[in-house]
Amino acid sequence: MPTTTPEQWLPVLLQIALAAIIAAALVALSYAIGHRVRNRVKDMPYECGISPTGDARSRFSVKFYLVAMLFILFDIEAIFLYPWAVVYKQLKMFAFVEMLIFIVLILAGFFFIWKKGVLDWAHSKEDKAYPAALREMLVEKKL
């Protein structure tokens, strides 16, 4: 059984070194053995087997960014459930009540954004650029 810190970390360092060596070897072998073909078709961007259309610099609606931020928010909420599940047996009823409060607050936020229309993707043509919550903020501030 390893007793000193370097002895304890030696397997981890060996694993990192082995992974780096394998990665470098695969990249070097691919470069050395790989067949290089340069032509117009090979240099075109690949979009799921479909010929690319339009400009790559087109603007995205704010809806996409709002949904991405909401996804990150609820993903982080799910991450907080794992440590709670690990210590649940030690904390017993206290842990249950705390997590119940946490989930109720998260669900309150979810129902709030749902009611505001942030998740509503079907708007009329004039409202297509902004989700409902952003429209209300713009109307209130007269922007």
Side-chain angles (χ1 to χ4, degrees):
M1 187 84 192
T3 56
T4 64
T5 303
E7 287 177 350
Q8 291 175 346
W9 284 96
L10 182 65
V12 175
L13 294 175
L14 287 176
Q15 182 71 27
I16 291 172
L18 182 65
I21 290 169
I22 290 173
L26 289 174
V27 170
L29 281 173
S30 173
Y31 181 77
I33 299 172
H35 183 68
R36 292 172 196 79
V37 174
R38 303 288 297 193
N39 59 29
R40 190 171 59 97
V41 175
K42 191 77 167 176
D43 290 338
M44 282 180 54
Y46 180 75
E47 291 185 10
C48 302
I50 301 172
S51 297
T53 58
D55 186 18
R57 298 184 192 282
S58 62
R59 295 177 62 129
F60 284 97
S61 174
V62 173
K63 293 183 289 189
F64 295 110
Y65 301 109
L66 286 174
V67 170
M69 287 188 289
L70 291 173
F71 175 77
I72 290 171
L73 174 73
F74 287 107
D75 199 37
I76 290 171
E77 177 258 332
I79 290 171
F80 281 120
L81 291 174
Y82 288 108
W84 169 78
V86 170
V87 297
Y88 177 71
K89 283 188 177 180
Q90 288 103 13
L91 298 178
K92 299 190 182 190
M93 196 62 177
F94 174 75
F96 178 74
V97 171
E98 289 293 318
M99 191 50 65
L100 187 63
I101 292 169
F102 179 69
I103 290 175
V104 165
L105 288 174
I106 293 295
L107 285 176
F110 174 72
F111 288 125
F112 175 76
I113 63 171
W114 189 359
K115 185 177 185 268
K116 284 291 191 179
V118 174
L119 302 175
D120 188 16
W121 289 79
H123 296 293
S124 65
K125 288 184 180 179
E126 68 229 9
D127 296 338
K128 214 162 182 107
Y130 302 106
L134 187 58
R135 275 195 324 272
E136 289 179 15
M137 288 189 310
L138 291 175
V139 169
E140 288 173 3
K141 294 183 180 183
K142 305 275 193 256
L143 295 177

